[in-house]
Amino acid sequence: MRWGVFGVIGVLVVAAGCSGFTGSPSQPAGTAVDGQSAVDVPESAVTVTVTAVVDGDTIQVAYENGTGDTVRLVGVDTPEVHTENDPAEFEGVPETDASASCLRGAGTNASSLAKQQLLGETVGLSFDPNLDRRGYYDRLLAYVVHDGTLFNYRLVETGHARVYDSEFTRADRFYAAEDAARSDRRGLWRCVDSDAVTRTAIADGGSESASGVEIAEIHADAAGNDNENLNDEYVTLTNTGDEPVGLSGWTVSDEVGHQYTFANLTLDPNASVSLYTGSGTDTETERYWGRNGAVWNNDGDTVIVKNASGETVLRQPY
């Protein structure tokens, strides 16, 4: 089961009733569900290399001749990470500060997915006959095809994006995927319940965390076999305070003592860092535990965050 935890300073919002990363983990997203075509994958009109990820729905690419372009993914809208989110744009999400914070965390996760799947990769671009080739800010409007799957659809199917309303030809399938994701509370749709249940993150002794650091998401249940998909198991921390927080020497651990220690990291206000169980290249927003097996129990565990002095800052059961 997937659980997300969001909130304002010192308060973690726990969303309930979430499902796995995809409806059919054994199959590539956007290809087939129960033997039926989920969405047709268009033929690529041009091949490019992804050079940067602006956010979950916008990427920068390089053509074979060395020129570049900015691509806005057709039919999808991921929560903002560079500006404030308006919960009213996401059907059913309450118009509250807690919901806006929840959506920001979901936007960070969408950006992380795009980086993991697309950054540095060769992908195909395809265009919709019902849409202009370019939209606002002269960005190219395109479908992104990677490893035979339609990444635009994957974002919607897994709850990382809502459908952006336009006249694109695959709208019906995208809306069906969005309805299923919302019903299952996948990804950003956990924010529908962001005000339903709240728990206070407490340090040992019962005081609220004063650092401004919160557990923004606990993603314990990776798609498919957890031990074979370690980077779909992660915990995200967010600094909701007004000052940077140095996380060097801070630890994240579970109930049985598996422990990770942060090194050389400062979390700026409104910034987030996701700790992935598997291996990868550490950045300011992504850290990798480097384990060869899953850590977080799908049927419940506790995330324990301690500062460099060994004091418990956050303790969150799920």
Side-chain angles (χ1 to χ4, degrees), residues 88-146:
E89 296 180 352
F90 299 85
E91 183 178 349
V93 175
E95 296 183 43
T96 64
D97 289 343
S99 295
S101 177
C102 176
L103 287 169
R104 177 175 287 276
T108 298
N109 293 334
S111 296
S112 294
L113 178 65
K115 290 175 183 177
Q116 290 174 17
Q117 296 291 318
L118 302 181
L119 188 59
E121 296 291 309
T122 298
V123 303
L125 300 183
S126 182
F127 307 100
D128 195 289
N130 287 358
L131 303 177
D132 294 333
R133 284 287 184 99
R134 294 191 179 273
Y136 295 119
Y137 312 114
D138 200 38
R139 296 178 298 188
L140 200 62
L141 304 179
Y143 296 108
V144 174
V145 179
H146 179 242

Side-chain angles (χ1 to χ4, degrees), residues 57 71-77 126-128 131-133 140-144 150-153 155-156 162-164 166-170 174:
D57 56 38
V71 178
R72 178 65 166 80
L73 276 63
V74 164
V76 301
D77 181 35
S126 182
F127 307 100
D128 195 289
L131 303 177
D132 294 333
R133 284 287 184 99
L140 200 62
L141 304 179
Y143 296 108
V144 174
L150 184 55
F151 186 74
N152 310 50
Y153 183 84
L155 285 170
V156 175
R162 71 179 180 99
V163 177
Y164 186 83
S166 67
E167 300 299 322
F168 68 106
T169 56
R170 293 168 177 79
F174 275 54

Side-chain angles (χ1 to χ4, degrees), residues 44-90:
S44 300
V46 61
T47 299
V48 298
T49 299
V50 179
T51 58
V53 171
V54 179
D55 55 28
D57 56 38
T58 306
I59 60 176
Q60 293 178 347
V61 302
Y63 297 103
E64 292 180 352
N65 65 5
T67 61
D69 218 334
T70 299
V71 178
R72 178 65 166 80
L73 276 63
V74 164
V76 301
D77 181 35
T78 60
E80 300 292 340
V81 293
H82 304 296
T83 62
E84 295 300 317
N85 286 286
D86 180 3
E89 296 180 352
F90 299 85

Side-chain angles (χ1 to χ4, degrees), residues 239-304:
N239 180 7
T240 62
D242 297 326
E243 300 293 334
V245 177
L247 293 190
S248 298
W250 284 42
T251 63
V252 175
S253 60
D254 65 357
E255 285 184 326
V256 298
H258 297 118
Q259 181 172 288
Y260 172 86
T261 303
F262 287 103
N264 301 319
L265 180 64
T266 297
L267 202 59
D268 290 330
N270 297 318
S272 297
V273 60
S274 294
L275 172 60
Y276 298 94
T277 301
S279 299
T281 302
D282 288 344
T283 69
E284 293 300 300
T285 59
E286 299 168 354
R287 292 297 166 106
Y288 295 87
W289 203 320
R291 293 185 56 83
N292 57 13
V295 172
W296 307 108
N297 295 327
N298 294 345
D299 58 355
D301 207 331
T302 301
V303 179
I304 303 165

Side-chain angles (χ1 to χ4, degrees), residues 227-250:
N227 291 312
E228 297 176 356
N229 194 11
L230 296 175
N231 285 342
D232 194 28
E233 183 184 83
Y234 56 87
V235 172
T236 300
L237 303 180
T238 297
N239 180 7
T240 62
D242 297 326
E243 300 293 334
V245 177
L247 293 190
S248 298
W250 284 42

